[in-house]
Amino acid sequence: MNTRLLYLLLCLTLFSCGLNKKEASKTTSIPVNTPFFNPALPGDNPDPSIIRVGKVYYATSTTNEWAPYFTIYKSTNLKDWKLVNHVFPDGFKDMKNQWGENNFWASELAYDAKQDRIYVYYSAHNREVKGNPGLQCGIAWIDADQIETGKFSDNGPVIIEDDCGAIDAFELQDNGKIYAFWKNDGNGCGKESWIWMQEINESRTKLLGQKRKAYTNSQPWETALVEGACFFRMGDYIYSLYAVGGCCDARCNYKTGIARTKSLENGTWEKYDKNPIMVSNDKWRCPGHGTVVQSSDNRLFMLYHAFNQNYDVFVGREGIIEELKQGADGWPVLHNAIVANRPKAELDFFDDFQKDKKLNLVWQWPSKLQRPAMTFESGLNLTASKDNHELGTFLGQYIKTVDFDIIAEVETSAANTGICLGGAILKSKWPGELGGIGITASKQGYTVFSNLEGKYTVLKQANESLSGSIKLKMKISKGGKLIDLFYKNGESDWLKFYTLQFDAAKYVPWGMGYRAGIVVKGKSFEKGVFKSFELKNNESEGGELRRIDGAK
């Protein structure tokens, strides 16, 4: 048998989890030399998952302590992605009995062709349960033709570990049965971490039979835990990619390994003797926790997360895609040499609130709070508050580099209305305890503020009577370590109002990146009016910059 024929037969045996005859009948081939852009999912998109439904790919990612919960992205070529929906657009209000409180992690998509439904497994902390046992895996579903515009129906928590909690659930359909896999969060309570498996019913509401251990950290290179496991079939084997180590902050040491079995029933897993197959390199740090998808021409691609080495951990873990290829020894491997090649211009964002009828999907708010009240009348009218440790009402979005401008045009009112870089309160009780630094304008003048130390503090104030529209700008530079704040009144040039050295590492939230956004501080009956918002990466606003006397 010649090499070409052998390769063809091998390709025909490739089978990714969730693939089926209905999908295979449609063409979604990816040209062999496709120049993928990475990051595929720029910004804070950890624990990504990917499926194919016919000609379309869908992906999701962890949203941590931000609402809406769990992104839904769409692509037809694995190169260009668009945010089209969220699993829970209104946050906890969309969950069964509003059961989830925080730790919105590891959403994982699965397509059931027989039902033509898409299921999503996800992790959250049950507000009724204290400590690690509160980490539970819920499951929600939606008809496949509704995923881009509809709402998921939530089954609530299905996978529950009374001891250390359950996270990182994954589904594999094999030999007519549906299996759920998950990690018991042993490292969170001083015990071993295992990948467990159990059959689940077709409605994904109940586990069947007895749960069984799959594998744990057992090789010398593996550290104190194993997690983020995904599963797919290739040839005679079911393979599992998994992560070990610390995932989520500057001390991370995440690595990726692979294991395989010929039968889920016998419970015997063989780990690759050349593990780990993916480690940190000079471009990306701490890669892992992803999912494999198969194109109709039988090629495998993995979407996983990693920190961009140039951005430290301030941007968060971004979604990276690369092809998974079979090595000479038969094991599928990753070449671990992806470069960051997505053009910076693609990362810019502009929102003309005066044309909007509803809020763009990129905007987020703290996960424990309800969706902020707002209307669109000649701009975004955002209701003021003193939430978030006196910061006010906040809407933010991912930062995608560490050198960027935040620019907004606001209408002056009684409320302090402006822009903000959102991080975490120092020594916060939980990672979603929002802190921020920024500049606002009101009828009484300009204010530069910070509550990152836990108390709202005015850094500089200029009392003057203001009216009409004002433009505000924050320039973050020097790799996130320098902040300049400006305002622009009418046709004047940008006026530098305040400058400070910023310790970005001090306030980066655990497991998350910073957010750039808008803020309104005031009484609950007051509103801030935003006419536009812009996020410009590695670019500065044109015009001569003029320093104000007394600027720090």
Side-chain angles (χ1 to χ4, degrees):
M1 184 179 295
N2 62 39
T3 302
R4 178 174 293 182
L5 181 58
L6 180 63
Y7 178 76
L8 177 62
L9 291 174
L10 175 64
C11 286
L12 291 173
T13 63
L14 294 177
F15 186 86
S16 174
C17 115
L19 189 69
N20 49 74
K21 292 180 180 179
K22 179 177 179 178
E23 292 178 289
S25 67
K26 299 181 180 181
T27 301
T28 57
S29 63
I30 304 299
V32 173
N33 295 319
T34 296
F36 290 118
F37 282 159
N38 275 300
L41 305 180
D44 191 17
N45 283 285
D47 312 330
S49 168
I50 184 172
I51 59 170
R52 178 170 63 85
V53 181
K55 297 181 179 181
V56 181
Y57 297 89
Y58 293 103
T60 182
S61 61
T62 281
T63 46
N64 272 304
E65 311 310 327
W66 292 96
Y69 305 155
F70 308 121
T71 56
I72 298 292
Y73 293 98
K74 174 186 178 181
S75 176
T76 56
N77 58 10
L78 296 180
K79 178 181 176 182
D80 304 300
W81 293 89
K82 181 181 179 181
L83 180 62
V84 294
N85 205 353
H86 289 87
V87 175
F88 299 129
D90 286 319
F92 58 81
K93 284 191 170 183
D94 292 329
M95 303 178 76
K96 184 177 181 179
N97 300 322
Q98 301 185 6
W99 75 271
E101 181 177 34
N102 58 291
N103 299 143
F104 297 103
W105 299 338
S107 46
E108 195 71 52
L109 298 173
Y111 177 58
D112 189 313
K114 183 171 68 173
Q115 301 176 12
D116 198 25
R117 278 184 178 173
I118 294 172
Y119 290 87
V120 60
Y121 292 68
Y122 64 92
S123 305
H125 196 282
N126 194 321
R127 65 179 67 250
E128 303 296 330
V129 183
K130 293 182 179 180
N132 247 64
L135 288 172
Q136 299 172 359
C137 295
I139 304 174
W141 62 272
I142 194 169
D143 291 333
D145 61 356
Q146 296 295 309
I147 189 171
E148 296 180 29
T149 57
K151 270 198 175 186
F152 281 74
S153 298
D154 189 27
N155 291 338
V158 177
I159 302 172
I160 299 171
E161 289 275 2
D162 293 331
D163 193 358
C164 294
I167 64 172
D168 296 355
F170 190 93
E171 177 179 301
L172 178 68
Q173 301 166 38
D174 186 63
N175 289 330
K177 295 183 178 180
I178 308 167
Y179 295 93
F181 296 82
W182 69 92
K183 169 205 174 185
N184 72 296
D185 199 46
N187 55 289
C189 61
K191 297 187 178 182
E192 289 184 335
S193 294
W194 281 82
I195 302 300
W196 291 82
M197 62 172 288
Q198 192 168 351
E199 193 177 345
I200 192 168
N201 66 354
E202 290 191 352
S203 61
R204 278 71 164 182
T205 55
K206 183 179 180 181
L207 294 171
L208 306 175
Q210 297 296 314
K211 68 177 183 179
R212 291 181 288 142
K213 290 179 176 178
Y215 57 83
T216 187
N217 48 303
S218 58
Q219 292 185 325
W221 69 277
E222 296 169 339
T223 53
L225 61 89
V226 58
E227 66 182 23
C230 75
F231 299 81
F232 61 97
R233 179 175 284 281
M234 188 180 82
D236 293 333
Y237 289 95
I238 292 171
Y239 288 88
S240 176
L241 288 155
Y242 62 93
V244 304
C247 63
C248 306
D249 58 22
R251 298 168 295 177
C252 70
N253 60 349
Y254 232 34
K255 303 177 184 69
T256 296
I258 191 167
R260 69 184 183 184
T261 185
K262 285 192 172 182
S263 170
L264 292 178
E265 297 302 319
N266 67 28
T268 302
W269 287 86
E270 171 195 4
K271 289 187 177 178
Y272 192 30
D273 61 7
K274 293 182 177 61
N275 275 340
I277 65 168
M278 188 162 56
V279 298
S280 297
N281 56 35
D282 62 343
K283 299 293 192 301
W284 301 97
R285 185 178 176 195
C286 299
H289 197 148
T291 302
V292 174
V293 69
Q294 186 181 19
S295 60
S296 63
D297 55 352
N298 294 323
R299 292 162 63 204
L300 300 179
F301 298 87
M302 185 181 184
L303 181 65
Y304 60 91
H305 73 229
F307 290 109
N308 187 321
Q309 289 279 26
N310 292 331
Y311 301 157
D312 205 324
V313 295
F314 308 146
V315 170
R317 294 163 288 166
E318 302 187 276
I320 312 301
I321 194 164
E322 67 173 291
E323 189 166 359
L324 190 70
K325 296 185 177 181
Q326 189 175 42
D329 57 6
W331 287 78
V333 295
L334 297 153
H335 61 76
N336 202 197
I338 291 298
V339 297
N341 62 343
R342 185 169 291 278
K344 292 292 191 297
E346 288 191 10
L347 306 179
D348 293 344
F349 175 83
F350 182 80
D351 200 333
D352 186 345
F353 291 122
Q354 296 179 94
K355 294 182 178 179
D356 288 347
K357 302 298 182 184
K358 61 181 180 179
L359 193 66
N360 191 296
L361 292 174
V362 303
W363 291 105
Q364 302 175 309
W365 62 91
S367 66
K368 286 189 177 182
L369 299 180
Q370 294 188 30
R371 178 187 175 96
M374 68 191 77
T375 58
F376 286 91
E377 302 166 14
S378 300
L380 169 60
N381 294 249
L382 187 62
T383 299
S385 74
K386 294 184 180 179
D387 292 337
N388 302 305
H389 293 265
E390 299 290 324
L391 183 73
T393 303
F394 179 83
L395 288 173
Q397 59 179 271
Y398 305 145
I399 67 169
K400 297 176 181 178
T401 67
V402 289
D403 291 272
F404 57 93
D405 295 347
I406 308 170
I407 304 168
E409 183 177 0
V410 304
E411 191 75 24
T412 52
S413 66
N416 286 292
T417 305
I419 54 179
C420 178
L421 181 66
I425 296 288
L426 186 65
K427 299 180 181 179
S428 58
K429 295 178 181 178
W430 64 291
E433 208 166 11
L434 176 67
I437 185 169
I439 181 171
T440 58
S442 71
K443 289 182 176 180
Q444 290 74 43
Y446 301 98
T447 301
V448 174
F449 63 90
S450 173
N451 75 332
L452 288 165
E453 299 287 332
K455 180 180 179 181
Y456 185 88
T457 303
V458 173
L459 302 178
K460 185 174 181 179
Q461 199 163 37
N463 295 317
E464 59 179 284
S465 179
L466 298 177
S467 62
S469 295
I470 301 290
K471 285 188 175 181
L472 303 170
K473 179 168 73 170
M474 295 180 67
K475 176 177 286 295
I476 290 82
S477 58
K478 306 294 183 183
K481 297 179 176 61
L482 181 68
I483 298 180
D484 293 301
L485 299 106
F486 307 83
Y487 66 76
K488 187 176 184 179
N489 194 339
E491 298 300 320
S492 70
D493 295 329
W494 283 110
L495 304 176
K496 184 181 288 189
F497 187 54
Y498 193 82
T499 296
L500 77 157
Q501 299 292 325
F502 184 62
D503 186 357
K506 189 176 180 181
Y507 308 108
V508 64
W510 181 88
M512 295 180 282
Y514 281 93
R515 297 298 192 269
I518 57 178
V519 65
V520 186
K521 176 180 169 66
K523 298 176 181 178
S524 59
F525 59 83
E526 296 174 337
K527 293 183 178 180
V529 180
F530 297 87
K531 292 180 174 292
S532 65
F533 177 90
E534 187 172 8
L535 198 57
K536 298 178 65 177
N537 293 279
N538 291 326
E539 296 179 10
S540 59
E541 182 77 357
E544 182 182 352
L545 299 180
R546 181 160 55 88
R547 188 180 181 87
I548 298 177
D549 290 340
K552 186 174 177 180

